[in-house]
Amino acid sequence: MPASEHAIVEETVELLCESHIRYTTYYGTFAHTPVLGTLEVLPLAAIGVNSSGTIDFIECCVEKGTDLRVLTCAHASVKLQIDDIDIVDVSQDDTTFFFPGFVDTHIHAPQFPNNGIFGNTTLLEWLEEYTFPLEASFTDLKFAKEVYRKVIDRTLSNGTTTASYYATIHTEATNLLADLCLQLGQRAFIGKVCMNQNSPDDYIETDEECKISTLAVIEHVKGRDPKGHFIRPILTPRFAGSCTDTLMKWLGDLRNSGDYHCQTHLSENHKEIEWIMSMFPQYKNYTDIYLKTGLLGPKTILAHCIHLSDEEMRVVASTGSGVSHCPTSNSSITSGEARVRWLIDNGINVSLGTDCSGGFSASILEVARHALLVSRHLVMKSGNEREKLSSSEVLYLATVGGAKVLQIDDSVGSFKVGLKFDAQLINLTSMDSNVDVFQFQRPQWGER
Amino acid sequence: MPASEHAIVEETVELLCESHIRYTTYYGTFAHTPVLGTLEVLPLAAIGVNSSGTIDFIECCVEKGTDLRVLTCAHASVKLQIDDIDIVDVSQDDTTFFFPGFVDTHIHAPQFPNNGIFGNTTLLEWLEEYTFPLEASFTDLKFAKEVYRKVIDRTLSNGTTTASYYATIHTEATNLLADLCLQLGQRAFIGKVCMNQNSPDDYIETDEECKISTLAVIEHVKGRDPKGHFIRPILTPRFAGSCTDTLMKWLGDLRNSGDYHCQTHLSENHKEIEWIMSMFPQYKNYTDIYLKTGLLGPKTILAHCIHLSDEEMRVVASTGSGVSHCPTSNSSITSGEARVRWLIDNGINVSLGTDCSGGFSASILEVARHALLVSRHLVMKSGNEREKLSSSEVLYLATVGGAKVLQIDDSVGSFKVGLKFDAQLINLTSMDSNVDVFQFQRPQWGER
């Protein structure tokens, strides 16, 4: 598995700098997981990327020594002069390869300073003891800036080129998060958290305040990036426990009217489920609350979905809602083991979330490892070997799976003509790599 | 949790260089887990280390600006001149601290190139498919040297100052591992693996060959380090599946006669247990095989111990044998979830093992995180909150627990007068740290 992650989002950075992107051909090894269960390696491949950052052609097995500018002229879909083309050639090092940027579909940016701090708590105590007090402090914009910069830096350095963030209830700090993502070059969904019940006195909104701040953040984000190339708003009712159904209905209507993305938590912890059903007895089950308030749909991301009944799972599937599986968090705060294979087998798109700071790691690669391990804990319990997720499957969840859940798989997640060139460059023998490569494992060693 | 590990084994490196160690006082923050469940932080502490690398005094809360040489003269148990004393002062940086070196009580050095490669196999297929073929190639000393250097470099850089290694069946390569540990400054137990049945044709010994190679490695290791300061031999019957009881009895007798350390695998996987009991029907259970062949005792390390019956657990406890818990491996190859709290509650010493390459990580810190997570998976199954291991508990297993299992807790594992100064220096804000420290979390920030 790759180790040393250095994210390059060529098009993002370039466009944000407002400089002209030149047509660029990347040459070397590319690896990706275009289909669940398949790790495809493209050795000696040349990928042409046009001036809008879109993959224009992919040529495999291009012999070393080939004139890459000439090759580019021959394969580009536009007429190019030799001098118009830049070449990035990483083929010299057989331990270096490109991999699609990771997609983190569930991360609480303000909780970042609490990473690794959860004690022996489970969800509801964890919220009260660690989470709400920290989030409440995001009225302080200087503090927000310090935290949000570090979250973005850290996730980018771990290869996350796209993240779906929960911020806090605060308009200004949430807008700041949006601006920082744009400035630092991370594709992001920006969620102003909505909470109008069962929350601390200093960290709660009225219906009216929530509506105003939600609309203000949408306006800000759309103002900054009208076409949503890099940042987009996402409606974020925290979870049914924090929101009245009146508020959720308003958000549901807003979602429908504006075709907005939406994210929330579902079926994370047994006590949470019991508590929520005692609060909403008029609904059939936890999922039904979101269904009836209009929050489900193909652009909705449901975090966790650990303890769904068959009936609930079918509702999730039929509405086309996607799931963010957060194994690090689910194990750390003892929430449970989500049945990823079962969800996938029933046609639900599944992706990965770090869920910082329920999860302690900002690295989707580490979360992918945990997804693999948790799937094995399921097998230990059920004896059903089918539940096992392989390395290539968890890497799929970390890339294409995330793109599908966010409905941006026409832009990112793999290497395909027409998609953006959204990639990280992995060097297995860099100074900070945690992988050792042996001579006998180097495919091209014999050629040296 | 600490992140960026840089191991300094002051006494080892110095002694091995055959240079004179000067009396040295270390000043800064020290953290350790002297007792299960307690993380003790010693702020502004001065630790005097004498010329044999032994901690001579510990003074806490020494004011900044104190003349540390004068302080050392006052507290040293020997008469010192000011000029005899070196000072290592790391107190300037409040994100830097000393932590005891990690102890890895179960690691297969030759399997290192296979880290992360296990597919969907479980133990017995994993041995056949991945492990035996790689180990068999250690007749090639050039290859052995490449692998063993990298194992030692990698584990040291992850803070492992003591490791209990399984090598292969080969005398020369095993001797080389011993020499490299000595040369690179890692405290190590060197185990020539014994296998005289159920093994591939090119990777098996006869009784006689095994006895000769076992004695040859013991002689070599003792010749290199007669007092066992840094390296010691450890008897290593691979597991009952690979050894006849005649061979195990010979090893048991040798163990008793020479008071040797001994290591093997016990109760890792259901199929393994079934297979072994079909092979040894004359014994009551798996543990009974090791008991009756004389392999159990206070210097014996039993890896895994996942599926022990109450009766077997009591035999392990009564013989004083220690356990190496290998959560990364146990989850990766779907072996099971060891009940660590149950073992500890019954008076058994428990430690951590990376078990590379059943486990994919050479970092005991990562294994400690997995131990914490696996304990939560047990809680998900049993509902028994007591099974949860806390951060400080898994750090105890990684240090003092390992030292106790290896019966070297009179030398390493914590900071105490009379123990060796065996430490790693952690810097949470170093370039390669994976931890972010925020201004409000810096205890001494107000003073700046």
Side-chain angles (χ1 to χ4, degrees), chain A residues 150 154 337 376-377 437, chain B residues 120 150 337 377 436-437:
Chain A
K150 286 197 179 178
R154 178 63 68 180
E337 297 143 347
R376 281 155 173 72
H377 286 284
V437 180
Chain B
N120 281 346
K150 287 199 179 177
E337 298 141 345
H377 286 284
D436 287 284
V437 180

Side-chain angles (χ1 to χ4, degrees), chain A residues 112-113 119-120 146 150 154 331-332 334 337 360 369 376-377 388 433-439 441, chain B residues 112-113 119-120 146 150 154 331-332 334 337 360 369 376-377 388 433-439 441:
Chain A
F112 198 59
N120 281 345
E146 186 198 357
K150 286 197 179 178
R154 178 63 68 180
S331 300
S332 294
T334 328
E337 297 143 347
F360 53 76
R369 292 193 194 105
R376 281 155 173 72
H377 286 284
K388 270 189 195 177
S433 168
N434 62 16
V435 170
D436 287 283
V437 180
F438 295 85
Q439 291 298 2
Q441 293 170 327
Chain B
F112 198 59
N120 281 346
E146 187 199 357
K150 287 199 179 177
R154 179 63 67 179
S331 300
S332 295
T334 328
E337 298 141 345
F360 53 76
R369 292 192 194 105
R376 281 155 174 71
H377 286 284
K388 271 191 194 174
S433 169
N434 62 17
V435 169
D436 287 284
V437 180
F438 295 85
Q439 291 299 3
Q441 293 170 326

Side-chain angles (χ1 to χ4, degrees), chain A residues 103-372:
Chain A
V103 182
D104 184 346
T105 57
H106 188 71
I107 173 166
H108 292 267
Q111 296 174 19
F112 198 59
N114 273 352
N115 270 8
I117 302 173
F118 50 88
N120 281 345
T121 58
T122 55
L123 179 63
L124 300 179
E125 309 88 66
W126 171 83
L127 281 170
E128 298 259 333
E129 193 167 335
Y130 298 107
T131 307
F132 289 152
L134 178 59
E135 289 193 13
S137 65
F138 278 68
T139 46
D140 177 346
L141 288 180
K142 192 170 159 239
F143 179 59
K145 189 167 187 178
E146 186 198 357
V147 172
Y148 287 161
R149 273 201 82 96
K150 286 197 179 178
V151 177
I152 300 166
D153 279 346
R154 178 63 68 180
T155 50
L156 271 176
S157 75
N158 278 291
T160 299
T161 55
T162 304
S164 189
Y165 285 116
Y166 283 59
T168 60
I169 63 170
H170 312 101
T171 308
E172 291 76 15
T174 305
N175 289 346
L176 180 63
L177 175 63
D179 293 353
L180 288 169
C181 287
L182 207 51
Q183 185 186 323
L184 297 171
Q186 187 173 53
R187 214 180 288 279
F189 291 80
I190 307 295
K192 191 220 76 88
V193 172
C194 298
M195 299 162 66
N196 73 336
Q197 68 169 352
N198 300 314
S199 305
D201 290 345
D202 63 343
Y203 193 51
I204 189 166
E205 310 161 293
T206 62
D207 271 34
E208 208 44 44
E209 286 165 344
C210 183
K211 291 173 186 176
I212 291 170
S213 57
T214 295
L215 295 173
V217 169
I218 291 175
E219 194 188 344
H220 178 86
V221 173
K222 285 186 157 179
R224 283 284 193 268
D225 185 0
K227 292 191 175 164
H229 281 308
F230 307 111
I231 56 170
R232 299 188 205 177
I234 182 164
L235 304 181
T236 307
R238 184 176 204 114
F239 73 134
S242 303
C243 300
T244 58
D245 54 0
T246 317
L247 178 59
M248 287 188 279
K249 271 176 192 151
W250 181 81
L251 288 165
D253 289 344
L254 181 63
R255 191 188 74 81
N256 283 313
S257 67
D259 194 24
Y260 287 114
H261 281 78
C262 176
Q263 61 186 352
T264 191
H265 298 81
L266 176 60
S267 200
E268 181 172 0
N269 166 294
H270 285 302
K271 275 191 201 156
E272 169 216 15
I273 299 168
E274 239 175 75
W275 178 58
I276 281 176
M277 289 322 295
S278 74
M279 204 181 313
F280 294 97
Q282 67 274 39
Y283 295 94
K284 274 202 288 190
N285 50 50
Y286 196 165
T287 306
D288 193 45
I289 305 172
Y290 296 145
L291 176 70
K292 297 282 167 55
T293 54
L295 294 172
L296 301 185
K299 285 184 169 177
T300 293
I301 302 107
L302 301 167
H304 310 303
C305 294
I306 301 172
H307 309 289
L308 294 183
S309 65
D310 286 6
E311 187 186 346
E312 288 178 281
M313 178 274 292
R314 281 191 293 270
V315 170
V316 172
S318 68
T319 57
S321 308
V323 170
S324 179
H325 174 45
C326 306
T328 315
S329 166
N330 297 342
S331 300
S332 294
I333 58 171
T334 328
S335 301
E337 297 143 347
R339 290 169 295 160
V340 170
R341 180 73 66 199
W342 175 69
L343 295 170
I344 292 173
D345 282 350
N346 282 284
I348 296 171
N349 286 327
V350 180
S351 57
L352 296 181
T354 55
D355 193 21
C356 294
S357 66
F360 53 76
S361 174
S363 159
I364 280 289
L365 182 59
E366 184 164 11
V367 171
R369 292 193 194 105
H370 291 156
L372 183 144

Side-chain angles (χ1 to χ4, degrees), chain B residues 232-375:
Chain B
R232 300 188 204 177
I234 182 164
L235 304 180
T236 307
R238 185 176 203 114
F239 74 133
S242 302
C243 299
T244 58
D245 54 359
T246 317
L247 178 58
M248 286 189 278
K249 272 178 190 151
W250 180 81
L251 288 165
D253 290 344
L254 183 61
R255 191 189 73 79
N256 283 312
S257 68
D259 194 25
Y260 287 113
H261 281 79
C262 176
Q263 62 186 351
T264 191
H265 298 80
L266 176 60
S267 200
E268 181 171 1
N269 167 293
H270 285 302
K271 274 192 202 155
E272 169 215 18
I273 298 168
E274 241 175 73
W275 177 58
I276 282 177
M277 290 321 296
S278 73
M279 205 183 310
F280 294 98
Q282 67 274 38
Y283 295 93
K284 276 201 288 190
N285 50 50
Y286 196 165
T287 307
D288 192 47
I289 304 172
Y290 296 145
L291 177 70
K292 297 282 167 57
T293 53
L295 293 173
L296 301 185
K299 286 184 167 176
T300 292
I301 302 107
L302 301 167
H304 310 302
C305 295
I306 301 173
H307 309 288
L308 294 183
S309 65
D310 285 5
E311 187 185 347
E312 287 178 283
M313 177 274 293
R314 281 192 292 271
V315 170
V316 172
S318 69
T319 56
S321 307
V323 169
S324 180
H325 174 46
C326 305
T328 316
S329 166
N330 297 341
S331 300
S332 295
I333 59 173
T334 328
S335 300
E337 298 141 345
R339 291 169 293 162
V340 171
R341 180 74 66 196
W342 175 68
L343 295 170
I344 292 173
D345 282 350
N346 282 284
I348 296 170
N349 287 326
V350 180
S351 58
L352 297 180
T354 55
D355 193 22
C356 295
S357 66
F360 53 76
S361 173
S363 158
I364 280 288
L365 183 58
E366 185 164 11
V367 171
R369 292 192 194 105
H370 292 155
L372 183 143
L373 296 176
V374 165
S375 77

